[in-house]
Structures are given as structure tokens and as C-alpha cells.
């Protein structure tokens, strides 16, 4: 589902900050070599992530779902001096691809890759986070949220991607569509959970911004 026409989408991108060259190269190579390139955050959403990170100026960032590392590098743009990013993914074949671009960036020594099940890795991370980006398997969004809220600094921001799920949140849910069912529950959880205040932005496939009280 396209929430904006192609013409409006192009206009929005044209009048937003330019895509950095390294990210343009990552974007191109992802589309050339990696399956499901639609999963890439892309130019406009990437600039949104960068802007939010620069506003927050986080010391520690947690990213659940690395894919090819595009969003990771966007979030890194706002890191405080000596800040860190822990980025988690389950796809072993993408680790070297990610690292190649991380090492070409100025944040090479600040980005830490974790390979495996995020539900097992997150409890081992002995940090407090200022910014978290959830963009992994939708079936576990609720589980991720409950794990990370106690690990957040007060005023920290949790970003959740794909919360509109191509408009499926407005359709009748098919019995075997677990992802949509969980996302509907998750969106309601973010609305009602008294530990956070939330605004859902209709950016790309839906991006929720939740501030920890």
C-alpha cells in the first residue's frame, strides 16, 4: 500500500536532506545483491531516523533487526561522543555485508554486531539505552517491548517500524496472519501502556515514536 502518491513521495524526498554517499552505495548494493531490498529503510525514512537520533543525541542505541545496516548508520549519525550501538540480527549471511559498510563509516569502532535470537541476546546486554529501534520479526514486537522498557533511561525513545503493515491493520485479519494480529495488539499496547507516551507517524510503512516516562 502506498500512503502517498509517487509524485508526493518524490517531492518529500527531494525536499529533505540528501542521502549521504556511503548510504547511497549501501542502498544500491542491497538492491543488487540482497533478497527483499524493500526491507531497507531507504533515503527518506533514513533521514527521519538520523534527525531523531541527532535530536536525542543518545549515548547508547539498541537496534533489533540490522538487515544490511542502513538504519544502523542513520542512527549512528546522532551518537554522543564515545556512544555505542548494539545491533542484533539472526541472519548470519548478512554479517560481513553489514561490517563492510560499518567499517567504512566513522562509527566503525562504536557499532557492535550481535548474531542470534534477540530474545536471548537482549537480557545479556548490561546497558541502559536512550534510543531503541525495533525492526525485526513482527511476531515478537510485544516480547521485545517488555524486555527493553526496563532497560531504557527515563525520557528514552523507542522507535517501532512497520506498524501499519501495508495497511493490513485496517483489514479483516486472516486466521493464519500472526504478524498482523500481533501488530494490532502491539499498537494498542503502546497506546495504553502507562510507561510510555506514543505517537504513530504515517511515515513509509508506519513508524511509532514512544517516549519512556
Amino acid at each position: 500500500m502506498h500512503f502517498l502518491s509517487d509524485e508526493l513521495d518524490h517531492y518529500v524526498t527531494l525536499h529533505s536532506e540528501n542521502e549521504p554517499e556511503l548510504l547511497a552505495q549501501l542502498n544500491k548494493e542491497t538492491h543488487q545483491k540482497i533478497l527483499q531490498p524493500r526491507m531497507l529503510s531507504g533515503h527518506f525514512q533514513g533521514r527521519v531516523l538520523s534527525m531523531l537520533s541527532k535530536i536525542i543525541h543518545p549515548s547508547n542505541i539498541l537496534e533489533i533487526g540490522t538487515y544490511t545496516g542502513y538504519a544502523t548508520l542513520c542512527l549512528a549519525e546522532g551518537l554522543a561522543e564515545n556512544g555505542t550501538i548494539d545491533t542484533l540480527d539472526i541472519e548470519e549471511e548478512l554479517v560481513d555485508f553489514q561490517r563492510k559498510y560499518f567499517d567504512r563509516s566513522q562509527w566503525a569502532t562504536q557499532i557492535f554486531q550481535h548474531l542470534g535470537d534477540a530474545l536471548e541476546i537482549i537480557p545479556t546486554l548490561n546497558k541502559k539505552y536512550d534510543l531503541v529501534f525495533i525492526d525485526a520479526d513482527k511476531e515478537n514486537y510485544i516480547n521485545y517491548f517488555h524486555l527493553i522498557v526496563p532497560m531504557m533511561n527515563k525520557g528514552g525513545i523507542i522507535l517501532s517500524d512497520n506498524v501499519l503493515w501495508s495497511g493490513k491493520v485496517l483489514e479483516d485479519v486472516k486466521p493464519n496472519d500472526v504478524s498482523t494480529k500481533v501488530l494490532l495488539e502491539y499498537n494498542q499496547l503502546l497506546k495504553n501502556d502507562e510507561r510510555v507516551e506514543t505517537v504513530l507517524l504515517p511515515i513509509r510503512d508506519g513508524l511509532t515514536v514512544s517516549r519512556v516516562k
Side-chain angles (χ1 to χ4, degrees):
M1 176 178 288
H2 295 282
F3 299 104
L4 293 177
S5 67
D6 289 341
E7 292 81 3
L8 268 178
D9 187 69
H10 177 68
Y11 183 88
V12 167
T13 302
L14 194 64
H15 291 82
S16 298
E17 194 70 16
N18 292 336
E19 184 179 43
E21 179 58 29
L22 179 62
L23 289 176
Q25 293 172 19
L26 194 166
N27 194 336
K28 182 178 180 180
E29 188 171 359
T30 297
H31 279 81
Q32 289 174 336
K33 299 180 179 179
I34 308 297
L35 293 174
Q36 297 181 297
R38 185 177 179 273
M39 291 172 59
L40 192 87
S41 290
H43 179 177
F44 174 63
Q45 185 173 353
R47 291 305 86 204
V48 172
L49 296 176
S50 169
M51 183 68 76
L52 290 171
S53 185
K54 288 171 181 174
I55 291 169
I56 298 162
H57 198 47
S59 293
N60 292 314
I61 297 173
L62 172 63
E63 179 184 38
I64 306 172
T66 315
Y67 190 48
T68 56
Y70 190 100
T72 320
L73 291 171
C74 294
L75 295 168
E77 294 177 29
L79 267 179
E81 187 177 358
N82 300 320
T84 65
I85 298 182
D86 292 294
T87 184
L88 286 56
D89 206 281
I90 202 166
E91 300 294 343
E92 185 174 2
E93 64 270 18
L94 293 177
V95 170
D96 290 341
F97 186 101
Q98 300 159 4
R99 192 74 249 171
K100 177 176 71 173
Y101 281 94
F102 295 162
D103 285 345
R104 289 173 61 188
S105 78
Q106 68 190 76
W107 305 283
T109 61
Q110 297 168 270
I111 299 174
F112 299 93
Q113 294 164 284
H114 303 267
L115 178 65
D117 186 337
L119 293 176
E120 296 177 1
I121 295 170
I122 293 169
T124 71
L125 301 173
N126 189 26
K127 290 182 183 177
K128 284 284 191 177
Y129 292 97
D130 306 295
L131 177 59
V132 173
F133 184 41
I134 304 176
D135 188 20
D137 55 317
K138 312 312 164 192
E139 293 89 343
N140 276 309
Y141 266 35
I142 293 172
N143 295 326
Y144 295 144
F145 178 78
H146 287 306
L147 273 179
I148 64 178
V149 168
M151 301 171 68
M152 300 292 296
N153 285 316
K154 185 176 181 180
I157 299 295
I158 301 170
L159 303 174
S160 308
D161 200 15
N162 304 117
V163 292
L164 294 179
W165 208 223
S166 298
K168 290 182 182 178
V169 292
L170 295 180
E171 300 172 359
D172 292 334
V173 181
K174 297 177 182 177
N176 61 344
D177 189 350
V178 177
S179 294
T180 301
K181 181 177 182 293
V182 172
L183 282 172
L184 286 167
E185 294 177 8
Y186 182 68
N187 290 340
Q188 198 62 47
L189 170 65
L190 294 185
K191 169 68 174 176
N192 295 333
D193 195 306
E194 295 184 354
R195 296 173 295 177
V196 297
E197 54 183 321
T198 291
V199 61
L200 197 165
L201 305 176
I203 292 172
R204 202 163 172 256
D205 195 25
L207 180 69
T208 298
V209 181
S210 302
R211 177 182 177 273
V212 178
K213 298 179 182 178

